[in-house]
Amino acid sequence: QFLSSQSAESPLWVDALYGKGVAQEESKQNTEAIKTYSDLVKSNPDSRLTVDVRIRLGDLYILDKNFTDAIEQFRLASQTT
């Protein structure tokens, strides 16, 4: 990867990754959106977007009938402050 770890923590990078996930979601590229959102919460767990991203992940997992992971994402979203 050509980006430094500092780039991954940049608010602009977080916004860009979030936008990429939303675009993938809207294009019905659910597997890709799950990967993008997962990368976002892994690299930026304290982002202001974490709760929204976890809820989106939960919704995507429901669409994939992966209820165990959906429940986990909703649980994590409810614990995020």
Side-chain angles (χ1 to χ4, degrees):
Q1 183 175 4
F2 67 92
L3 295 169
S4 70
S5 62
Q6 290 176 335
S7 297
E9 295 171 5
S10 161
L12 293 176
W13 175 250
V14 171
D15 289 344
L17 206 54
Y18 179 79
K20 178 181 177 183
V22 170
Q24 290 166 327
E25 202 176 339
E26 290 176 355
S27 298
K28 307 286 189 242
Q29 298 174 347
N30 293 351
T31 302
E32 292 84 355
I34 288 170
K35 181 178 181 338
T36 299
Y37 289 144
S38 295
D39 289 347
L40 193 158
V41 295
K42 284 178 190 167
S43 63
N44 296 279
D46 298 325
S47 167
R48 71 191 190 297
L49 297 172
T50 299
V51 172
D52 185 53
V53 169
R54 291 205 180 278
I55 290 169
R56 286 177 175 272
L57 277 166
D59 290 343
L60 288 167
Y61 283 130
I62 286 173
L63 291 173
D64 284 350
K65 298 185 180 0
N66 183 343
F67 303 113
T68 301
D69 286 343
I71 290 168
E72 178 65 6
Q73 290 303 317
F74 294 136
R75 185 187 67 77
L76 290 168
S78 73
Q79 292 178 348
T80 304
T81 56

